[in-house]
């Protein structure tokens, strides 16, 4: 519990605060509450895009080193958000471009969140072995294709905005459909990554779960907030906080001695046993190492017992916290020697 308390505090502040602020502002919005600040909009959108781009670079390095579908899908989520949301910032009416780009700004904002949610939700799925192998095999071409498509969208949107259909993306069916899709996928991702955090106590799983919740909230604020009003500005802050939370997870692991690449690489762990083992506290790992050093005959025995205990506990549908406690106890069951 001591390890989860700080994360719980962050959840309350970062997730609960903006959500309550949006609810209050939306209920009390008035015409005079409009804040048309194109410069501020450009910079906060750009800051979010830069954070996402930094995460994309880190996860791309993991994707190159590790043959793992989750690493690929998370990288694609960050690439989509960074590239398309950057277009949203560049198309800010009244900053770099004229008001004719208002439709581009609106379309790119919704596209960026929708695509990021699709890849984020896909990263939380346990794919069949055959699908996993194909994603791993084609991970670099798929990533290169996405970068090319995002770059093509940016070019067309900013150089030939008339080629981007607008009316089709402003219908109630499209707007409500993307709202439902994003809420479904980010909610699913938040639940899966939170379960992984409860099981492993790895900070990065908790950080991605928090980021998923903030994306969920940002979609609501963007959909229901009035443009340029107080409630509408909230969604920009929620998006920035979502990616800041994931960067914060990497920074937390860095302060514990892990490189940013190694911290992000922890997200590629799919096997519950591997997740739990990666989250062992230093004192537990030290006890296990000391035990094996004293009794070489049982080398690896504790880890094998822990793995079997986790498999049985999963079949019994024990809570993630109890599964982790059981694994730690199984690892040290011979400590009396």
């Amino acid at each position: 519990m001591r390890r989860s308390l700080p994360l719980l505090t962050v959840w309350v502040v970062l997730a609960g605060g903006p959500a309550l602020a949006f609810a209050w502002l939306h209920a009390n919005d008035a015409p005079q509450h409009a804040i048309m600040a194109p410069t501020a909009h450009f910079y906060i959108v750009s800051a979010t895009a830069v954070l996402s781009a930094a995460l994309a670079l880190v996860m791309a390095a993991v994707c190159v080193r590790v043959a793992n579908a989750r690493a690929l899908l998370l990288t694609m989520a960050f690439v989509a958000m960074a590239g398309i949301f950057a277009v949203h910032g560049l198309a800010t009416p009244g900053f770099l471009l004229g008001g004719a780009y208002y439709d581009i700004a609106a379309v790119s904002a919704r596209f960026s969140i929708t695509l990021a949610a699709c890849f984020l939700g896909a990263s939380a799925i346990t794919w069949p072995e055959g699908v996993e192998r194909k994603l791993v095999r084609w991970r670099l071409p798929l990533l290169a294709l996405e970068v090319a498509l995002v770059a093509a969208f940016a070019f067309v949107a900013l150089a030939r905005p008339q080629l981007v259909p607008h009316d089709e993306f402003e219908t109630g069916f499209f707007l409500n459909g993307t709202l439902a899709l994003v809420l479904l996928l980010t909610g699913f991702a938040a639940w899966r990554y939170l379960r992984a955090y409860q099981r492993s106590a790895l900070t990065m799983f908790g950080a991605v779960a928090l980021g998923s919740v903030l994306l969920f909230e940002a979609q609501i604020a963007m959909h229901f907030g009035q443009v340029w009003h107080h409630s509408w500005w909230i969604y920009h802050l929620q998006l920035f906080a979502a990616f800041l939370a994931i960067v914060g997870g990497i920074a937390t692991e860095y302060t514990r001695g892990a490189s940013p690449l190694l911290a992000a690489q922890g997200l590629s762990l799919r096997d519950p046993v591997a997740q739990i083992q990666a989250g062992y506290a230093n004192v537990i790992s030290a006890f296990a190492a000391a035990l094996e050093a004293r009794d070489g005959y049982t080398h690896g025995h504790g880890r094998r017992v822990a793995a079997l205990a986790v498999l049985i506990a999963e079949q019994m549908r024990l809570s993630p916290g109890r599964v982790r406690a059981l694994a730690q106890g199984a690892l040290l069951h011979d400590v009396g020697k």
Side-chain angles (χ1 to χ4, degrees):
M1 290 295 293
R2 286 195 299 270
R3 294 187 66 182
S4 62
L5 182 58
L7 182 67
L8 178 60
T9 304
V10 173
W11 270 68
V12 172
V13 174
L14 284 180
L20 291 175
F22 169 75
W24 187 87
L25 290 171
H26 184 64
N28 295 278
D29 250 341
Q32 65 269 23
H33 290 163
I35 304 176
M36 296 193 65
T39 301
H41 179 265
F42 171 79
Y43 283 117
I44 190 172
V45 169
S46 298
T48 303
V50 168
L51 278 180
S52 187
L55 289 170
L57 289 174
V58 172
M59 287 307 304
V62 174
C63 191
V64 171
R65 294 179 54 179
V66 180
N68 182 270
R70 175 176 289 164
L72 166 66
L73 293 167
L74 283 173
T75 304
M76 296 179 80
F78 297 139
V79 167
M81 191 70 202
I84 301 178
F85 206 58
V87 173
H88 174 63
L90 291 170
T92 300
F95 184 68
L96 295 177
L97 303 171
Y101 284 82
Y102 174 80
D103 289 332
I104 295 297
V107 168
S108 57
R110 189 166 291 267
F111 266 0
S112 61
I113 297 179
T114 302
L115 287 177
C118 287
F119 289 122
L120 183 62
S123 74
I125 295 175
T126 302
W127 294 99
E129 187 176 342
V131 176
E132 177 96 10
R133 282 199 305 268
K134 290 181 179 178
L135 287 173
V136 168
R137 179 182 178 185
W138 294 99
R139 65 189 186 282
L140 297 184
L142 286 171
L143 188 56
L145 176 62
E146 184 197 20
V147 172
L149 290 174
V150 169
F153 171 80
F155 174 79
V156 172
L158 298 175
R160 300 287 189 273
Q162 66 275 12
L163 297 180
V164 179
H166 305 137
D167 295 339
E168 293 82 351
F169 299 137
E170 294 177 359
T171 64
F173 175 80
F174 177 79
L175 296 177
N176 293 326
T178 54
L179 171 68
L181 180 64
V182 171
L183 297 186
L184 175 65
L185 292 173
T186 53
F188 171 73
W191 174 69
R192 290 298 299 267
Y193 280 106
L194 179 59
R195 294 275 295 182
Y197 172 76
Q198 292 174 325
R199 179 169 52 233
S200 66
L202 288 173
T203 303
M204 287 304 301
F205 284 115
V208 176
L210 175 57
S212 301
V213 170
L214 287 165
L215 280 175
F216 181 100
E217 295 178 356
Q219 176 64 40
I220 294 175
M222 182 180 72
H223 186 85
F224 294 103
Q226 299 183 54
V227 178
W228 296 118
H229 284 63
H230 290 167
S231 58
W232 177 81
W233 281 98
I234 289 291
Y235 101 79
H236 298 83
L237 299 177
Q238 289 169 319
L239 283 179
F240 179 77
F243 295 98
L244 183 62
I246 302 175
V247 171
I250 294 177
T252 300
E253 291 300 315
Y254 178 76
T255 61
R256 295 173 180 169
S259 68
L261 188 59
L262 186 60
Q265 192 168 318
L267 289 170
S268 65
L269 297 174
R270 283 188 176 273
D271 180 55
V273 177
Q275 292 175 0
I276 292 173
Q277 290 178 348
Y280 282 153
N282 290 337
V283 64
I284 293 177
S285 298
F287 266 123
L291 177 62
E292 291 189 351
R294 180 173 179 83
D295 187 5
Y297 177 75
T298 60
H299 181 75
H301 171 67
R303 294 184 182 277
R304 289 191 294 273
V305 172
L308 289 172
V310 168
L311 293 175
I312 295 172
E314 291 280 332
Q315 291 297 318
M316 295 175 64
R317 301 182 184 276
L318 297 184
S319 67
R322 295 191 68 182
V323 173
R324 185 174 76 251
L326 181 62
Q328 292 172 344
L331 181 69
L332 301 177
H333 75 281
D334 277 338
V335 74
K337 290 184 178 181

